Amino acid sequence: MQVSNSQAGGTVNNPAQVSCGYTYGVALLTNGTVWTWGTGPWGELRQWNDRSQLYSGQVTGLSNVSAISSGWKHILALKSDGTVWAWGKNLSGELGDGTTISQSNAVQVLNVSNIVAVSGGDL
C-alpha cells in the first residue's frame, strides 16, 4: 500500500496498520510515525478546519507508536512504552485527558499504563 504525502506524488511506504474514522484515514508506519488524511474538523488531522486534506501529513510530536485505532472523530495511539495518546473530538471525554476540549495535538490519556492494545469507539 502507498499513501500519497505530497502534491508532487510522493508516497508514504510500509504502513504497519491503517484505520479509518468517520471522514479520515490514519496510518501507522513501520518506523513508528503516524500519518493522517481526509477531512477532520475536530482536530483529527492536526488542524482546525473543514477542508479536505488530499495528501497525508505526519502527526508531529508523536513517535515510537506501536498501534493505532480510529474512533468516530478521534484517534488513539499506543506508544511502545505502554502509554496511550489521543486527539480529535472530545465532546464526551473520549480523549481521556480529564477535559472535554477537543485537541489537534496528541495528548496523553491520564491514569493508564502498561497498555497492550487500543480500540476507538463511536464517541
Side-chain angles (χ1 to χ4, degrees), residues 38-118:
T39 302
W42 293 99
E44 303 96 309
L45 305 179
R46 313 158 320 280
Q47 58 191 352
W48 298 104
N49 65 51
D50 288 331
R51 296 177 46 203
S52 292
Q53 187 174 306
L54 301 177
Y55 301 95
S56 64
Q58 184 174 355
V59 177
T60 57
L62 194 61
S63 60
N64 300 316
V65 175
S66 59
I68 55 171
S69 182
S70 298
W72 185 47
K73 294 187 176 184
H74 67 287
I75 302 170
L76 302 173
L78 173 62
K79 293 183 75 169
S80 58
D81 64 2
T83 60
V84 179
W85 296 73
W87 65 102
K89 191 171 184 177
N90 196 25
L91 182 66
S92 301
E94 46 271 67
L95 302 186
D97 66 346
T99 75
T100 54
I101 300 169
S102 299
Q103 299 288 337
S104 62
N105 295 309
V107 294
Q108 187 170 356
V109 176
L110 301 176
N111 302 317
V112 298
S113 60
N114 302 316
I115 303 302
V116 296
V118 290

Side-chain angles (χ1 to χ4, degrees), residues 2-17:
Q2 295 181 334
V3 177
S4 177
N5 72 343
S6 75
Q7 292 183 14
T11 56
V12 173
N13 293 307
N14 301 317
Q17 187 179 358

